[in-house]
Amino acid sequence: MRGRLYTTLLIIVLCTCGIMLTGCQLKDVERRSFVLAFGIDSAPTDEGKDNQNLIEVTLKLAIPEGDPSKRDQEAVIISQVSNTIPEAIRLLKSKVDKELDFSQCKTLLFGESYAKKSISEISDWMVRRRDIQLVAYNGVARPSAKEVLSLHPKSERVPAYSLILSLGREGTESPFIVGMFSYNFRRHLSEQGLDPILPLVEKDGEEAILINKSVLLDKKRARAELTPDETRLYNLLMTQNLRTSFFAEKDGVIYSYNMESTHAKFKLITSKEGKTIVQYYVGGRAILEDNNQDVETTGSLLREVSKVASEKWEKDINKFLVKVHGTGLDPLGWGLRYMALNWNNATEIEDWEKIYPQLEFRVKADVEIKYSGMIH
């Protein structure tokens, strides 16, 4: 009798589980379209139509093939104009026959015109979207994200891979590229005392991209642009052991030198007059590469060139800091340092806002240039 009861209960449990299990929703790989890059632009303006708030979302999709080393790896570019990003994604699903998968998306580009309006919506969406990795690389695209994503550089074997190799420094290690992950970008958008900076990705011809500038942003939009030299100085101040080269001019001769090691740090000091001064200490060791007039290299010459190089660094970096300060932005984290050293949660932000316009800058550089093979 007891055995029949257990059997009946077991059958009831199995039937109940069978009813509750409506089937697995996991889709196989061949039923997915992998998004490799995501771009967002302001929608093109049509005369006579009010579309100021419309956006255009562009996706670069991969078509998996057997041999990833072949250059003929195909990519599909689809775009959609809509009022919101979620609505655009839903409409884009109607243009493909597979489920859109964002788990492999490593590049997020904001069109230049879109970045100048507001990036609040996209920055909030990308960190809350469950299948977008926060280690994706962010950048501003010129003239638009759609045109940059539509490029297919000759050196690119896998769709969108050239952007990953450049922005992530997994391939080239250019001193002119500012790398920025999504999680860091989002953090800088909300953190007091530190403003975000993004690399500028430009279309260079029909099959090439150019990344050697950067864009400064406030908490909502792009505000200023840095030249290639200024971007390199930013990296010099923010990166230890930056691999780059400079030149110094002495008596009409140009000496090129390559940095073997670099260092930079700053501190906030108060002058006798009560002003806050940002004091930078930068320097490094370098190897003289060449000069344009075959001047014989001696120990005294190297010391003189080192002095000239140090003075040039001090002048250029000070000019760069004044420019950044003039934008009203703080991509180097001066405010964050001030708040870390002045623990007064009630007034520290207001105090810094009063101090910031009066900031002064001083730079002390120490560049030591050597010559390979020379015995000192």
Side-chain angles (χ1 to χ4, degrees), residues 180 184-191 194-197 219:
M180 181 64 70
N184 229 5
F185 178 58
R186 180 62 178 176
R187 182 171 68 87
H188 292 182
L189 284 175
S190 58
E191 189 152 43
L194 180 64
D195 291 319
I197 180 172
K219 304 304 181 187

Side-chain angles (χ1 to χ4, degrees), residues 288 297-306 369 371 374 376:
L288 186 66
T297 302
T298 62
S300 60
L301 176 66
L302 289 176
R303 286 189 288 274
E304 293 174 4
V305 174
S306 297
I369 301 177
Y371 188 68
M374 176 175 282
H376 296 276

Side-chain angles (χ1 to χ4, degrees), residues 7 26 30 43 70 98 112 120 127 129 135 149 151 176 181 184 190 194 206 220 232 266 270 278 289 336 354 356 360:
T7 303
L26 180 66
E30 61 267 21
K70 292 183 178 179
K98 301 179 180 64
E112 185 178 22
S120 303
V127 296
R129 174 89 186 189
V135 292
L149 293 182
L151 293 175
F176 302 102
F181 288 116
N184 229 5
S190 58
L194 180 64
E206 297 303 319
K220 291 183 178 179
R232 179 169 55 179
F266 75 90
T270 304
V278 184
E289 289 195 318
L336 194 63
K354 293 177 182 176
Y356 181 88
E360 293 185 2

Side-chain angles (χ1 to χ4, degrees), residues 118-136:
S118 175
I119 54 172
S120 303
E121 181 184 4
I122 179 64
S123 62
D124 181 62
W125 178 83
M126 70 182 182
V127 296
R128 291 189 297 105
R129 174 89 186 189
R130 64 187 181 281
D131 52 352
I132 288 187
Q133 302 180 64
L134 293 182
V135 292

Side-chain angles (χ1 to χ4, degrees), residues 256-322:
S256 299
Y257 57 95
N258 185 62
M259 301 306 301
E260 286 192 323
S261 64
T262 65
H263 60 268
K265 62 181 181 180
F266 75 90
K267 63 180 181 181
L268 303 176
I269 59 178
T270 304
S271 67
K272 294 180 180 178
E273 295 77 17
K275 289 188 175 181
T276 300
I277 299 171
V278 184
Q279 176 71 62
Y280 269 92
Y281 301 93
V282 296
R285 297 189 59 177
I287 292 293
L288 186 66
E289 289 195 318
D290 69 352
N291 65 74
N292 63 349
Q293 294 188 18
D294 296 328
V295 177
E296 182 181 0
T297 302
T298 62
S300 60
L301 176 66
L302 289 176
R303 286 189 288 274
E304 293 174 4
V305 174
S306 297
K307 182 180 179 182
V308 172
S310 299
E311 292 173 350
K312 189 174 188 304
W313 275 34
E314 292 176 359
K315 180 180 177 182
D316 292 347
I317 294 173
N318 192 72
K319 183 179 178 182
F320 164 70
L321 295 174
V322 170

